[in-house]
Amino acid sequence: YTFGFSCITMDNPYFIALESAIRENVEAQGHQLVTLNAESDTELQDAQIQELIELNVDAVFLAPYDWIAIGSSVDKLNQAGIKIINVDTQVQAFDKVDAYVGSDNAEAGYACGKDLLEKLPQGGKIIIVECPNRNSINERIQGFEKAIAKKGFEVVARIDAQGNLEDALPQVEEVLKNNSDIVAIMCGNDPCALGALVAANTVGANDLIIYGIDGSPEVKKELLKDTSLIAGSVGQSTEIMAQEAATVALKLMADEKIQKTTYIDTFLITKENVTEYGVDTWQ
């Protein structure tokens, strides 16, 4: 079989690791993988999916940049009879995909909120760094807010950083300059957490803590430092996600029965347990 992978962006190390692991699993079974980098661009992703249709691929691993706007591309894949394995970020048109493989993102965000409550039971002012067009990050933020609801925390700013360090850094820096009493920053992924870290260090805001989600090697290295402001990151295994996605794809091609939704376990990585997960690689 020839599989396509339409990926949000290959600028994020998480997606590089996920793509590599999917490729390894697919090619080990003697199949091909064609990967197209959407570069965080809705129109480009739509055009690339049309390209995959014209290549007559058998199925597509789909990690959408915009979970709503991707609907038109999902329709095109349906019309072409191409199977869709939705990975990482669930599409809004969920009834039109064949399967979803990803983390329980709400639970991941909840774990960050629960840890924040334990560290700062008195509450305080916080910043949320989100990405409304990416449902995986929406669910993480919703889970986080559920954990801290009515616990004395005040959200003073919500920043749409598009899931990128480069967008997070200047916006977080601006908010910190105008709010010296921020106690925590919740970020929807690790690149944003790293951007928030640089922003906090730049303005000298050293009395706050930062959370991310991904369990990236870069953030795990930060957790090894006693002085780092990063308090934790919820890890998700790219290897396991890729393995499950490839297994589901091959079962679909063989017309075997599958579960429509497969959740991958998540786990909170902190300074206390980071050495258990290996800091040089993805877990």
Side-chain angles (χ1 to χ4, degrees):
Y1 300 115
T2 299
F3 295 100
F5 185 17
S6 177
C7 187
I8 298 171
T9 175
M10 295 297 284
D11 296 329
N12 184 335
Y14 166 77
F15 288 109
I16 294 173
L18 181 61
E19 191 275 346
S20 177
I22 289 177
R23 178 175 296 280
E24 184 178 340
N25 276 273
V26 166
E27 291 182 348
Q29 300 293 323
H31 308 296
Q32 291 182 303
L33 183 71
V34 177
T35 299
L36 296 176
N37 176 11
E39 301 177 20
S40 299
D41 185 318
T42 299
E43 291 184 4
L44 178 58
Q45 187 162 38
D46 186 58
Q48 289 177 341
I49 287 173
Q50 183 59 43
E51 186 179 334
L52 291 174
I53 291 169
E54 290 168 6
L55 284 172
N56 199 29
V57 297
D58 297 289
V60 169
F61 297 100
L62 177 61
Y65 170 61
D66 187 314
W67 74 297
I68 298 173
I70 199 69
S72 60
S73 292
V74 169
D75 286 339
K76 290 176 185 176
L77 288 167
N78 286 167
Q79 290 162 12
I82 296 171
K83 302 288 188 185
I84 303 171
I85 303 92
N86 184 194
V87 294
D88 182 73
T89 298
Q90 208 170 87
V91 302
Q92 186 184 53
F94 186 63
D95 59 320
K96 297 180 180 179
V97 302
D98 295 281
Y100 170 75
V101 180
S103 300
D104 187 335
N105 287 297
E107 184 59 35
Y110 191 90
C112 292
K114 184 179 177 184
D115 192 70
L116 175 60
L117 278 176
E118 292 173 1
K119 287 184 168 60
L120 298 175
Q122 72 276 18
K125 294 181 179 180
I126 63 175
I127 299 170
I128 289 178
V129 184
E130 55 192 355
C131 181
N133 64 3
R134 196 176 303 176
N135 196 44
S136 57
I137 291 181
N138 291 342
E139 290 178 344
R140 294 168 187 175
I141 298 303
Q142 288 162 9
F144 170 78
E145 291 188 283
K146 181 179 178 181
I148 66 167
K150 300 179 182 178
K151 301 293 185 181
F153 290 97
E154 177 191 353
V155 179
V156 299
R158 307 185 77 98
I159 293 169
D160 179 2
Q162 295 293 307
N164 301 319
L165 183 157
E166 296 81 7
D167 289 311
L169 198 165
Q171 294 186 76
V172 172
E173 185 176 333
E174 186 64 25
V175 174
L176 290 176
K177 284 178 180 176
N178 296 315
N179 297 271
S180 59
D181 51 355
I182 298 295
V183 300
I185 306 174
M186 172 61 193
C187 301
N189 65 7
D190 278 359
C192 289
L194 292 168
L197 176 64
V198 174
N201 289 337
T202 300
V203 303
N206 53 17
D207 194 23
L208 57 81
I209 57 178
I210 300 168
Y211 290 92
I213 293 178
D214 281 337
S216 66
E218 293 81 5
V219 164
K220 286 188 287 188
K221 287 184 177 72
E222 280 295 322
L223 288 170
L224 286 176
K225 303 175 185 177
D226 291 335
T227 56
S228 180
L229 300 177
I230 293 184
S233 176
V234 175
Q236 49 187 351
S237 173
T238 55
E239 291 288 340
I240 294 174
M241 190 181 299
Q243 189 175 34
E244 291 287 350
T247 297
V248 166
L250 291 170
K251 284 185 175 180
L252 278 171
M253 300 314 300
D255 290 325
E256 294 180 27
K257 189 175 181 180
I258 61 158
Q259 287 186 323
K260 179 151 185 178
T261 299
T262 302
Y263 281 131
I264 307 302
D265 288 341
T266 59
F267 36 88
L268 181 65
I269 304 173
T270 64
K271 295 178 189 298
E272 289 73 32
N273 67 6
V274 63
T275 54
E276 298 173 23
Y277 295 102
V279 296
D280 295 318
T281 61
W282 291 84
Q283 49 280 334

